[in-house]
Amino acid sequence: MESSSVDKLSALINELPKQPWYGADLYNWKGFWYRPHHLSSTMAASSNFQAKDDDVILTSSMKTGTTWMKAIIPTIMNPVGRTDDDSVDPLLKHHPNELIPSLEIQVYSVNPHPDLSNMVSPRLFRTHMAYPLLPESIKTSGCKIVYITRDPKDTFVSTCHFMNSVIAARGVEPWPMSEAFESFCKGVHTFGPFHDHVLGYWKESLKRPEKICFMRYEDMKKDPKGEVKKLACFLGRPFEKDQEVEKVVWRCSLERLKNLEMNQHGVDPWLGIDYKHYFRRGIVGDWKNHFTDEMKEKLNQITAMKFEGSGLDF
Ligand code: A3P
């Protein structure tokens, strides 16, 4: 970026509301919270990305099961995902982050006008941008959006484990769960507020179900085959045989992915985070091992209040 643009960006960032989060600062831009290094790339992607009609865009708030979908969507879309030959599975050599690039973390992180002309269609991208911030072309073109969300209580617990592991690797003390909880309840966390993020996509998915597939982590855990079949139909890649669905579900399972060499020892080159941190317990209701009754009541009340009348609950 030219130095005048960097100066303008720094001036803009300094004007934005700021809050501490896991030993760093978050900035609020257009109602959502960002780390400064994600902010410039989010702004660039939001203004400059041109979607194509056959793109698939995975969207989510953080720690809601995105990595699972980062594995499943490419496996559904890539013809080798359905072959019997497991040795050609791209997941063997690539962490799911590498199979579906992030607009703000990868594609727009270096250059606000990246050359995407060499990408083969259908292109797959992901983003943590909230619905109102999505590039206009994603909203108006024929591309499909897949949104994944999760019970906010489990999302919060997953975020605590992930972020404390990430900052521990940099020698930073863990952020006490009680403080992180207050912050989450106020909506202050990267890409949050969680509830606003979910509501934006939920409301749009009700208006345009052919455009946005709204998925929940809990449904995926309960009936992975059924959910993967539905997703494949939504993406225009229905399965012909039951064995194909079983293959996709197995290839993308937590048990398999977390034990692959790449995912145990690799490091994300864009974020500097060990890939192993993306795979933890993967259960529904882990919050019960961490929450007091007061925490449960408080977050349930916020969720009920925020989602009231929307038809959405957890
Ligand atoms: P837990 O921390 O509760 O274990 P994200 O991918 O959005 O960062 O979400 C991370 C959560 O998804 C973590 O939850 C992680 O263990 C879980 N996860 C990652 N890969 C998964 C998979 N293949 N199947 C099920 N859950 C998965």
Side-chain angles (χ1 to χ4, degrees):
M1 223 190 280
E2 286 175 24
S3 61
S4 62
S5 315
V6 174
D7 292 346
K8 272 194 215 151
L9 182 66
S10 311
L12 170 71
I13 288 179
N14 286 333
E15 298 285 306
L16 299 176
K18 180 168 94 168
Q19 287 289 333
W21 193 73
Y22 289 94
D25 286 326
L26 295 185
Y27 293 84
N28 192 295
W29 182 61
K30 297 191 175 177
F32 293 87
W33 293 96
Y34 290 92
R35 301 286 296 276
H37 52 281
H38 292 151
L39 194 49
S40 52
S41 49
T42 300
M43 288 172 177
S46 183
S47 313
N48 304 339
F49 178 71
Q50 288 305 316
K52 292 184 179 177
D53 287 338
D54 56 357
D55 286 348
V56 176
I57 317 284
L58 167 62
T59 57
S60 62
S61 185
M62 70 181 289
K63 298 293 127 197
T64 56
T66 324
T67 308
W68 202 358
M69 302 309 292
K70 287 178 225 168
I72 289 174
I73 293 173
T75 308
I76 289 176
M77 297 301 288
N78 186 338
V80 300
R82 295 171 194 213
T83 59
D84 285 336
D85 183 0
D86 289 331
S87 71
V88 296
D89 177 14
L91 286 164
L92 279 177
K93 298 225 172 78
H94 299 276
H95 181 277
N97 279 5
E98 298 170 17
L99 300 182
I100 174 162
S102 159
L103 289 177
E104 61 272 31
I105 298 167
Q106 291 159 256
V107 183
Y108 285 84
S109 64
V110 182
N111 182 345
H113 295 282
D115 178 8
L116 305 180
S117 58
N118 287 334
M119 281 188 82
V120 177
S121 287
R123 306 179 307 175
L124 313 180
F125 295 102
R126 65 188 152 98
T127 179
H128 286 305
M129 271 183 257
Y131 187 80
L133 305 189
L134 281 183
E136 221 27 53
S137 64
I138 291 187
K139 297 178 187 170
T140 54
S141 71
C143 75
K144 303 243 177 194
I145 298 175
V146 178
Y147 186 74
I148 176 96
T149 192
R150 186 181 193 185
D151 182 327
K153 299 188 287 304
D154 281 334
T155 302
F156 165 73
V157 168
S158 184
T159 303
C160 280
H161 284 285
F162 180 77
M163 287 309 300
N164 279 331
S165 306
V166 168
I167 63 174
R170 296 172 191 156
V172 179
E173 289 290 305
W175 203 23
M177 193 175 263
S178 55
E179 287 177 34
F181 182 73
E182 289 311 313
S183 181
F184 188 85
C185 288
K186 284 189 219 137
V188 179
H189 59 95
T190 311
F191 312 114
F194 174 86
H195 296 89
D196 297 347
H197 204 285
V198 178
L199 269 180
Y201 284 97
W202 170 248
K203 287 183 181 162
E204 206 50 40
S205 75
L206 293 180
K207 282 189 232 157
R208 294 197 288 165
E210 73 296 344
K211 170 85 179 170
I212 303 184
C213 179
F214 188 94
M215 305 192 66
R216 294 165 182 249
Y217 189 84
E218 293 74 19
D219 295 339
M220 280 289 299
K221 290 292 293 187
K222 203 165 149 192
D223 180 16
K225 269 177 67 179
E227 291 299 299
V228 166
K229 262 191 200 171
K230 269 194 263 171
L231 178 60
C233 287
F234 171 80
L235 294 173
R237 296 281 206 278
F239 292 101
E240 279 165 21
K241 298 185 222 135
D242 235 31
Q243 294 98 299
E244 292 175 338
V245 194
E246 277 158 19
K247 179 70 87 182
V248 172
V249 169
W250 172 73
R251 281 190 178 161
C252 301
S253 64
L254 181 63
E255 297 66 30
R256 175 175 185 252
L257 294 183
K258 94 191 283 189
N259 290 311
L260 293 176
E261 172 76 16
M262 175 68 178
N263 298 333
Q264 287 192 333
H265 303 292
V267 179
D268 185 319
W270 294 278
L271 292 168
I273 295 173
D274 289 351
Y275 280 147
K276 65 179 183 211
H277 296 318
Y278 289 84
F279 308 97
R280 203 179 59 92
R281 298 193 69 191
I283 59 167
V284 172
D286 193 27
W287 61 270
K288 291 177 193 154
N289 299 315
H290 300 275
F291 272 39
T292 60
D293 285 347
E294 290 74 31
M295 288 164 82
K296 179 182 100 176
E297 285 307 314
K298 182 166 177 171
L299 193 43
N300 279 348
Q301 266 180 25
I302 293 172
T303 302
M305 196 184 74
K306 287 274 191 181
F307 291 169
E308 192 182 354
S310 69
L312 187 60
D313 59 18
F314 281 96

